Amino acid sequence: MTTSSAPDTDVTCERDDVLEEIAARVLWTSTAIVHHANRIRPNPSGLKVGGHQASCASMVSIMTELWFEQLRSGDRVSVKPHAAPVLHAINYLLGDLEAEYLTRLREFGGLQSYPSRTKDPDTVDYSTGSVGIGATAPIWGAIARRYVTTAFGTGGTGRQYSLVGDAELDEGAVWEAILDSSVAELGEIVWIVDMNRQSLDRVVPNIAVPRLEAMFAAAGWQVITVRWGRLLEDLFDRRGGDALRARITAMSNPEYQRLLRCDVGELRSRLPGDGPRASEIAALIADLDDATVHAAIRNLGGHDLSALRAAFAAIDDSRPTVIIAYTVKGYGLPTQGHPQNHSSLLTVEQFDELGARMGEDPAQPWHRFAADSAAGRLCAATAEHLRREPIPRPPTFTVPADIGRTPPAVSTTQAALGRTLLDLTRQAPDVAKRVITVSPDVSSSTNLAGWLNKVGVWSPTERRDWFDDDRETLMHWRERPTGRHMELGIAETNLVGLIGELGATWSRWGEPLLPIGVLYDPFVERALEPWSYGIYAGGQSILVGTPAGVTLAPEGGAHQSITTPSIGLEQPGCVSYEPAFAVDVEWTLLDCLAHLGRPGGRSAYLRLSTRPVEQALADVPADPSARERRRRQVVAGGYTLRHNENPAVTLVAVGAMVTDALTAADRLAQMDIACDVVVITSPGKIFEALRSRRGQGDAPTWILDQIFPADRATPMVTVLDGHPHTLAFLPTINRVASIALGVSQFGQSGALDDVYRLHGIDADAMVRAVLDLIA
């Protein structure tokens, strides 16, 4: 659908004049923000500060129309990364940003390079910057708000807008989100694609808008294309206008962009082309003055307020909408249409010329409109219209530290996850009602079936479960808006995007949710970058990787994770655990839940296993005080499972390898070699304790004294079902000799004993390592 309309009343004309005045000021201010950071502010290092003046310019009309005519206070907007200065310019005109920040783009403590919810001083609805992630965030934000509204009545209503660069549509994460079956029912989603047909390096030769339109439509989206502005539409209605329309429509992107760089004489020569109707086009433009010809070639719909207004008016709120708005990159700047203008900066001379043309003073670039001017009154009215009520303080709730379940004699840490969630519904229902689980079509294989049957599956609308009366169906798929499990397609990026937004509801609407995303551990790395970005944006969530490691032997090398254990060491804002026993899962999961949904909270990553383990090996103390001491150690990162009076060596094991470590210790004891066995539940927590002991942090250090006391320091063998470097720092605590066992090559299919033997992490390997170490 191509929309365009001309103003039909004097009132509309007057308002458009005011909006054009505001748009011009937004263009000037956003350009000046980047200019000051690069050309005015002292730069002792000499390194380019950067910014994207051309990318900003293509968005000015779209964002002016959106903010000053379309937005409501309940709406939220994700702004494409390179348009951050436009957002700050608008917020400045609305009184939401002080002028002192306009000189501090990309400066320490100043405006961020890209919009940031947590670091920018003005209103930013979604953090963007990682291409494709910010664009999809409002989809997951829409689901999160719907859930909060259904469960607590506080999410409100409103559209969720994404301002997307056309090159951003190259990202697979974008299409993974668009194609998820639940998205087609989210009518509050509106994407606006800045179709400037340029990427970082070049004019993109083959952006085929009809193909993009068809792809969105096939996913159930409404598609509105805003191609032409009023001037071009008027010319198309004249004699020869249909030939001009056909010529421009069929023109390749590079040829069109080249016309933007032509003077009027060249334009009159090049525009008609050499087709059979060239003479009709030449005759049409021969009757136009130079200014009209020059303006017409860049008169695209994305810069025409009335065309944009008509597009917004055509939105069908019963399904997602994409507005594809044709624009010129660098519109209104001396660099407009240049094939390499993506990150180019105006020279001082070009900036001064721009100021002269716009009636602005380059020496005094920052000023709002006079309060009694039409533009000033519209800014004030818009600011009041968009004013939001303060976010209420999140309610407090207490997550139990210890449920006290007695696990089955033989169990897995993966199974313990589902049982702990079910126990929580009985022991702490006020907490359990805030727990939301999410999986990418692996609920049953990650042991969530019982939980899912208990709490139901979330759906925008209630759906009939046609297998509800089938006695052989053990997993019931009851879909309704109150369900507390969310099932997505097989797309890990979608999963972590959703749990990130579910984990931000405490800061958006004052209602904390406790999201847990479950997926196979080998695919955690596929999801890691968007999950990390969600943490950066303030989303607090738990990611559970299960099954994990080469312990998943029969599935083969492609389904065996090697490097994931170090994630907790490396990911800011996150703690990781790899529990060895069911009770360890309970304690660590409950502690992780207790740190979600609040200021200063943190995310967590749990790496679980399908290896059956005799739970008696955990040797949990029966005395309540001793049990609590063990629990605190588990949460702090580790505990001593086997203690000898005069140990010769210390075996340190993680997760699934604890069973083999105990077997190795028994065999060594038969050789009169006494071994302490230390279980590490969180390498990251131990590492942070060590850094703090050395004056590099403020984490508690008491756990080091309890499990690695200096007076009991012995040579050390470390082992885990993952890369050995994860534990390589442990021997430095007391500076002891060590051997690190782990997995450093792709796995193989086979029986567990065979695979452990291949990688050298079985009991035999541990015994050999001890003998080598103490020989």
Side-chain angles (χ1 to χ4, degrees):
M1 173 181 178
T2 300
T3 65
S4 178
S5 64
D8 53 8
T9 66
D10 291 339
V11 172
T12 302
C13 288
E14 292 175 5
R15 187 173 181 87
D16 278 359
D17 289 342
V18 175
L19 286 172
E20 292 289 4
E21 183 181 2
I22 292 174
R25 183 64 58 80
V26 171
L27 174 63
W28 169 255
T29 304
S30 60
T31 304
I33 289 172
V34 180
H35 181 79
H36 188 279
N38 288 273
R39 306 292 192 195
I40 307 300
R41 194 169 70 215
N43 183 5
S45 72
L47 296 175
K48 178 182 176 181
V49 176
H52 299 83
Q53 290 169 324
S55 295
C56 287
S58 66
M59 288 297 300
V60 165
S61 298
I62 293 171
M63 293 178 68
T64 299
E65 172 63 26
L66 181 59
W67 256 262
F68 290 89
E69 285 211 307
Q70 303 300 328
L71 286 185
R72 299 164 294 177
S73 62
D75 297 340
R76 297 293 185 270
V77 187
S78 171
V79 177
K80 77 170 191 175
H82 294 158
V86 180
L87 175 62
H88 298 311
I90 289 174
N91 282 340
Y92 169 66
L93 294 179
L94 296 178
D96 189 34
L97 183 68
E98 296 304 318
E100 65 181 270
Y101 281 103
L102 302 181
T103 63
R104 301 184 62 196
L105 177 69
R106 303 189 173 200
E107 182 183 68
F108 182 74
L111 299 177
Q112 299 302 296
S113 305
Y114 308 118
S116 172
R117 283 191 71 223
T118 56
K119 294 184 178 181
D120 274 318
D122 51 340
T123 299
V124 175
D125 292 330
Y126 288 98
S127 296
T128 60
S130 185
V131 175
I133 305 305
T136 60
I139 290 177
W140 317 123
I143 294 176
R145 177 159 62 182
R146 284 196 179 203
Y147 186 86
V148 168
T149 300
T150 300
F152 306 104
T154 55
T157 59
R159 287 176 176 166
Q160 297 275 343
Y161 291 93
S162 288
L163 306 181
V164 185
D166 53 5
E168 202 163 6
L169 297 179
D170 291 343
E171 284 288 339
V174 167
W175 296 103
E176 288 182 0
I178 291 168
L179 292 173
D180 192 88
S181 59
S182 64
V183 174
E185 299 181 61
L186 303 177
E188 62 267 48
I189 298 297
V190 178
W191 282 24
I192 307 169
V193 179
D194 173 17
M195 185 56 64
N196 61 50
R197 293 165 288 179
Q198 285 187 239
S199 62
L200 189 151
D201 290 328
R202 60 175 181 159
V203 177
V204 180
N206 296 315
I207 287 184
V209 171
R211 177 171 57 87
L212 293 175
E213 291 170 333
M215 291 169 69
F216 275 102
W221 289 49
Q222 178 191 21
V223 181
I224 302 172
T225 302
V226 188
R227 189 182 295 269
W228 317 118
R230 286 171 293 178
L231 175 56
L232 272 179
E233 290 283 12
D234 290 342
L235 294 179
F236 295 157
D237 289 337
R238 299 187 186 185
R239 184 182 181 86
D242 57 337
L244 177 63
R245 182 197 297 269
R247 162 77 170 132
I248 298 177
T249 301
M251 193 178 293
S252 71
N253 294 332
E255 182 182 5
Y256 174 79
Q257 296 288 98
R258 181 64 183 89
L259 294 180
L260 299 174
R261 307 296 299 168
C262 293
D263 59 33
V264 174
E266 287 182 293
L267 192 54
R268 290 184 185 277
S269 172
R270 288 174 179 253
L271 181 55
D274 54 8
R277 304 187 69 182
S279 60
E280 296 179 54
I281 301 171
L284 172 61
I285 63 177
D287 294 335
L288 305 177
D289 59 49
D290 287 351
T292 302
V293 174
H294 186 269
I297 196 61
R298 46 189 45 79
N299 182 230
L300 300 182
H303 303 302
D304 189 283
L305 296 174
S306 64
L308 290 167
R309 185 180 302 121
F312 283 112
I315 291 174
D316 173 9
D317 284 320
S318 68
R319 54 180 172 152
T321 296
V322 59
I323 298 173
I324 300 176
Y326 277 73
T327 63
V328 174
K329 196 160 187 172
Y331 184 77
L333 301 181
T335 57
Q336 64 180 329
H338 193 287
Q340 281 85 49
N341 68 6
H342 177 82
S343 56
S344 65
L345 300 168
L346 298 188
T347 65
V348 173
E349 293 75 17
Q350 287 175 323
F351 185 72
D352 290 346
E353 291 169 6
L354 179 67
R357 174 161 59 83
M358 300 184 74
E360 300 284 0
D361 181 3
Q364 301 290 332
W366 324 118
H367 54 104
R368 297 186 175 102
F369 292 104
D372 58 353
S373 67
R377 289 193 295 272
L378 181 55
C379 287
T382 300
E384 178 59 26
H385 175 66
L386 296 179
R387 185 178 63 84
R388 298 170 182 169
E389 295 298 323
I391 298 170
R393 187 176 183 85
T396 58
F397 51 88
T398 301
V399 178
D402 187 352
I403 291 175
R405 159 183 278 274
T406 299
V410 177
S411 184
T412 71
T413 55
Q414 183 193 78
L417 170 69
R419 283 195 293 268
T420 301
L421 292 177
L422 287 173
D423 288 342
L424 196 63
T425 64
R426 295 183 284 267
Q427 296 291 325
D430 59 325
V431 175
K433 72 178 182 180
R434 297 182 181 274
V435 174
I436 311 294
T437 56
V438 185
S439 72
D441 197 34
V442 292
S443 300
S444 57
S445 55
T446 54
N447 280 97
L448 287 183
W451 162 262
L452 189 150
N453 288 342
K454 175 78 173 179
V455 302
V457 179
W458 180 86
S459 173
T461 57
E462 187 153 355
R463 296 170 180 162
R464 180 173 177 178
D465 179 9
W466 289 96
F467 292 89
D468 199 32
D469 58 352
D470 186 338
R471 295 182 179 179
E472 295 183 3
T473 300
L474 301 179
M475 189 170 171
H476 299 292
W477 211 257
R478 301 186 179 98
E479 298 179 87
R480 52 186 181 266
T482 56
R484 300 212 298 272
H485 174 78
M486 296 183 179
E487 186 89 357
L488 301 174
I490 305 175
E492 288 79 11
T493 297
N494 289 350
L495 176 135
V496 294
L498 178 53
I499 63 174
E501 288 305 317
L502 291 169
T505 58
W506 68 273
S507 61
R508 292 194 189 279
W509 304 292
E511 285 293 351
L513 296 177
L514 311 177
I516 302 173
V518 180
L519 73 166
Y520 292 171
D521 194 66
F523 309 130
V524 165
E525 289 175 299
R526 185 184 300 176
L528 185 56
E529 191 269 340
W531 186 53
S532 175
Y533 209 86
I535 295 173
Y536 167 80
Q540 300 167 10
S541 60
I542 297 173
L543 188 62
V544 179
T546 182
V550 300
T551 298
L552 190 61
E555 293 288 343
H559 277 62
Q560 296 175 7
S561 51
I562 296 172
T563 60
T564 51
S566 65
I567 286 173
L569 287 164
E570 300 158 358
Q571 175 59 52
C574 168
V575 63
S576 71
Y577 289 104
E578 186 166 351
F581 300 102
V583 70
D584 297 352
V585 174
E586 176 187 311
W587 289 337
T588 55
L589 178 63
L590 294 175
D591 186 76
C592 291
L593 290 171
H595 284 84
L596 298 180
R598 60 182 178 83
R602 68 172 189 230
S603 293
Y605 163 53
L606 271 63
R607 190 173 189 254
L608 305 183
S609 173
T610 50
R611 182 180 184 182
V613 174
E614 293 184 18
Q615 297 302 305
L617 295 176
D619 196 23
V620 179
D623 180 82
S625 295
R627 179 186 175 95
E628 173 60 15
R629 180 176 184 269
R630 166 71 70 83
R631 187 199 66 81
R632 292 178 67 244
Q633 290 177 332
V634 166
V635 170
Y639 57 95
T640 301
L641 183 56
R642 184 165 296 180
H643 184 278
N644 284 277
E645 185 174 348
N646 295 299
V649 69
T650 301
L651 285 175
V652 181
V654 174
M657 305 314 305
V658 170
T659 296
D660 293 84
L662 291 172
T663 299
D666 289 339
R667 289 170 55 182
L668 289 164
Q670 294 174 4
M671 304 178 205
D672 294 325
I673 301 173
C675 294
D676 278 357
V677 177
V678 174
V679 177
I680 296 297
T681 55
S682 175
K685 295 280 279 188
I686 301 300
F687 183 71
E688 289 304 316
L690 178 59
R691 292 184 73 243
S692 293
R693 173 181 282 183
R694 294 171 177 172
Q696 297 175 300
D698 56 4
T701 62
W702 59 267
I703 189 64
L704 300 179
D705 297 324
Q706 292 196 5
I707 63 175
F708 297 117
D711 60 353
R712 291 176 58 81
T714 65
M716 181 183 296
V717 172
T718 63
V719 60
L720 76 161
D721 185 355
H723 200 282
H725 82 280
T726 307
L727 302 179
F729 69 94
L730 291 178
T732 70
I733 295 174
N734 291 315
R735 295 180 174 86
V736 298
S738 66
I739 292 178
L741 305 179
V743 181
S744 57
Q745 57 183 310
F746 289 116
Q748 301 288 337
S749 296
L752 198 60
D753 291 345
D754 294 332
V755 173
Y756 278 6
R757 187 179 305 110
L758 168 70
H759 294 288
I761 55 174
D762 58 354
D764 286 344
M766 294 181 214
V767 170
R768 287 195 300 270
V770 168
L771 296 176
D772 289 342
L773 197 58
I774 66 175

